[in-house]
């Protein structure tokens, strides 16, 4: 196989935009199709750590992401009353930039889309693929707008419910893990400078993370037997029920959860693909390849690390070798994050098999501080 000169990215989310920037930096022609004509993202907060900042810095947007978010001191574990059990301070991976960061998903989207548009990378909104035909020496793609294109490589960056994955691996699909996550943005009390996780309540945990000087978001991850569907008007009441019994800052912040329309509830569904994440000249990155639960706050960072590594490998090797090198550098790391995140949730639901969540979280944070 020759090197990749022209690449299609399916999905203009975190990983898709990051890989488009990375490939453009390496001098490779890249175009993006995004199914959503409005290119919208959930209005929620995301928690990220030093490896996210490092990977975005490689793409030239580390500073912009830091400015768009709120840098805090690290993660802390607290008991149900809010007493601190353990501090896991953030350790920067890039001189001059912080490690742990909270930012809204729209803020991250803005940073990435502005860079993509500034670089002149073509993005077609409201368009996806209809058929993908791998000819061996290239891939022909038919699009829903009636056009066709030929590429050296197609990257499926279309998220947890990936249509690219479904086309190539029809049996692989996300599985409900037994828990759901509740999120709500609230005012940030001036003293909140850590992301705090309150543990010890049966079947789950809750906490908060600063997002801006004015705001933070509360999250609650709990067992939700039989994957229920909640009536939209009950969401605030249901979220408050899960926050009952907490003291400290969380107990006070929970009082702000009043508007059901502002609650974001998601059942947790994970899909960790075995190696390799490619078939011929079609490769998956991000959640399409390894969606996990949010217990380690690593989904966005894993997608961006995939993007950086794939761009680097495609710049220096022919396509087949580049995909093997990509798997070599990415598989174990992403799998470790995925299975560890799912394990933390299982421990919350089944105390009889639980290990030490603080020690596991600390170990993974240290592992991810190592370069990719
Ligand atoms: C509510 C919520 C909170 C989260 N909180 C955190 C957090 O705190 N920390 C963290 O690190 N991660 C968090 N995540 C996870 C994180 O957002 C994902 O892991 C990350 O966005 C993965 O990037 P991705 O590019 O693989 O997928 P996405 O960012 O989901 O992007 C996929 C894109 O593909 C598009 N698409 C889908 N299907 C098609 C198709 N057929 N054709 C074309 N385009 C398509 C979608 O519209 C979307 O734009 C959270 C996720 C959710 C939903």
């Amino acid at each position: 196989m020759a090197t990749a000169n022209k690449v299609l990215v399916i999905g203009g989310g975190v990983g898709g935009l990051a890989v488009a920037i990375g490939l453009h930096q390496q001098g490779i022609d890249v175009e993006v199709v995004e199914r959503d004509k409005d290119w919208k993202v959930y209005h929620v907060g995301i928690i990220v750590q030093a490896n996210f900042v490092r990977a975005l810095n490689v793409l030239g947007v580390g500073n912009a992401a830091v400015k768009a978010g709120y840098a805090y001191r690290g993660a802390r574990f607290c008991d149900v009353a809010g007493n601190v059990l353990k501090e896991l301070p953030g350790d920067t991976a890039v001189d001059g930039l912080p490690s742990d960061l909270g930012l809204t998903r729209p803020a991250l989207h803005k940073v990435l889309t502005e860079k993509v548009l500034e670089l002149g990378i073509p993005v077609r909104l409201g368009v996806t693929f209809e058929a993908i035909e791998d000819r061996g020496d290239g891939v022909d793609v038919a699009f829903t707008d009636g056009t066709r294109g030929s590429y050296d490589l197609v990257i499926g960056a279309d998220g947890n419910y990936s249509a690219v994955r479904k086309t190539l691996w029809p049996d692989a699909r996300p599985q409900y893990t037994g828990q759901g996550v509740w999120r709500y943005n609230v005012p940030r009390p001036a003293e909140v400078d850590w992301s705090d996780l309150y543990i010890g309540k049966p079947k789950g945990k809750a906490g908060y993370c600063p997002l801006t000087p004015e705001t933070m978001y509360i999250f609650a991850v709990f067992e939700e037997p039989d994957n229920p569907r909640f009536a939209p008007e009950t969401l605030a009441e249901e979220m408050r029920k899960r926050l009952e019994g907490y003291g400290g800052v969380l107990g006070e912040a929970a009082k702000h959860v009043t508007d059901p329309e502002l609650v974001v509830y998601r059942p947790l569904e994970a899909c960790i693909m075995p190696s390799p994440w490619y078939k011929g000249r079609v490769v998956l990155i991000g959640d399409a390849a390894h969606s996990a639960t949010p217990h380690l706050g690593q989904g966005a960072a894993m997608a961006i690390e995939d993007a950086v590594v794939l761009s680097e490998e495609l710049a220096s090797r022919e396509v087949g070798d580049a995909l093997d090198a990509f798997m070599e550098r990415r598989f174990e790391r992403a799998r470790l994050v995925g299975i560890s995140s799912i394990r933390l949730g299982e421990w919350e639901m089944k105390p009889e098999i639980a290990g030490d969540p603080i020690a596991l979280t600390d170990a993974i944070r240290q592992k991810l501080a190592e370069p990719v």
Side-chain angles (χ1 to χ4, degrees):
M1 287 190 195
T3 52
N5 294 311
K6 190 177 172 201
V7 174
L8 172 69
V9 178
I10 298 175
V14 175
L17 296 176
V19 80
I21 296 166
L23 291 171
H24 184 277
Q25 275 179 343
Q26 303 289 355
I28 297 171
D29 262 359
V30 57
E31 55 188 78
V32 179
V33 288
E34 161 59 46
R35 185 180 57 183
D36 180 6
K37 69 176 176 31
D38 299 321
W39 219 359
K40 277 203 312 274
V41 292
Y42 280 108
H43 193 87
V44 291
I46 63 169
I47 305 178
V48 296
Q49 291 132 45
N51 61 325
F52 167 95
V53 176
R54 176 174 51 204
L56 278 187
N57 201 48
V58 174
L59 299 177
V61 288
N63 259 310
V66 168
K67 276 195 199 134
Y70 185 91
Y72 56 86
R73 296 170 65 186
R76 292 192 306 197
F77 282 85
C78 304
D79 65 16
V80 174
N83 302 303
V84 176
L85 304 170
K86 173 90 178 167
E87 290 181 353
L88 304 179
D91 197 3
T92 185
V94 182
D95 281 349
L97 291 184
S99 60
D100 291 52
L101 200 64
L103 74 175
T104 65
R105 183 70 184 76
L108 174 59
H109 189 62
K110 187 162 181 278
V111 167
L112 291 171
T113 51
E114 280 182 357
K115 188 68 178 178
V116 162
L117 298 176
E118 175 198 314
L119 296 174
I121 297 168
V123 180
R124 281 188 285 163
L125 299 180
V127 176
T128 185
F129 70 96
E130 217 161 52
I132 298 179
E133 190 195 340
D134 193 334
R135 290 181 278 99
D137 61 347
V139 193
D140 293 334
V141 181
F143 296 100
T144 48
D145 61 357
T147 58
R148 302 182 68 84
S150 294
Y151 304 90
D152 298 315
L153 180 72
V154 170
I155 299 174
D158 50 347
N160 198 13
Y161 304 99
S162 168
V164 178
R165 182 182 63 213
K166 200 169 168 194
T167 304
L168 271 80
W169 290 270
D171 295 332
R173 52 178 69 102
Q175 300 292 325
Y176 180 53
T177 66
Q179 290 181 307
V181 59
W182 303 78
R183 294 170 163 100
Y184 199 94
N185 291 358
V186 299
R188 180 183 79 92
E191 73 271 23
V192 172
D193 232 1
W194 292 82
S195 176
D196 288 336
L197 284 163
Y198 287 46
I199 57 173
K201 192 169 160 178
K203 308 295 185 191
K205 64 162 176 272
Y208 44 80
C209 170
L211 286 179
T212 67
E214 295 78 32
T215 58
M216 64 178 194
Y217 85 97
I218 308 181
F219 50 88
V221 181
F222 276 93
E223 184 171 29
E224 303 294 347
D226 305 321
N227 197 4
R229 295 284 173 259
F230 296 95
E233 65 277 12
T234 66
L235 288 176
E237 188 190 333
E238 291 289 346
M239 182 168 178
R240 277 200 312 274
K241 274 190 212 161
R242 277 129 189 104
L243 294 170
E244 273 168 14
Y246 287 113
V249 171
L250 182 59
E252 283 304 306
K255 294 176 186 162
H256 291 279
V257 180
T258 50
D259 186 344
E261 288 187 13
L262 299 181
V263 177
V264 178
Y265 173 74
R266 298 267 299 206
L268 299 184
E269 296 182 314
C271 181
I272 299 169
M273 295 286 287
S275 180
W277 302 330
Y278 70 88
K279 271 191 184 166
R281 285 174 174 263
V282 183
V283 62
L284 304 177
I285 65 168
D287 279 3
H290 46 73
S291 62
T293 61
H295 291 73
L296 289 164
Q298 275 289 333
M302 287 297 106
I304 296 166
E305 285 189 354
D306 283 352
V308 168
V309 172
L310 185 57
S311 307
E312 284 173 2
E313 296 301 339
L314 284 169
S316 57
R317 301 170 196 266
E318 57 89 19
V319 174
D321 287 347
L323 294 175
D324 286 337
F326 167 69
M327 289 311 305
E328 187 63 33
R329 288 174 65 189
R330 293 303 299 148
F331 179 66
E332 278 307 331
R333 189 168 166 107
R335 185 175 161 279
L336 177 70
V337 168
I339 59 170
S340 304
S341 302
I342 293 168
R343 182 170 301 146
L344 285 166
E346 283 169 353
W347 288 353
E348 285 157 9
M349 290 183 286
K350 295 184 190 141
E352 64 279 11
I353 60 157
D356 181 345
I358 301 177
L360 180 58
T361 305
D362 195 13
I364 302 287
R365 279 173 69 94
Q366 287 183 33
K367 179 78 193 157
L368 295 177
E370 293 168 12
V372 190

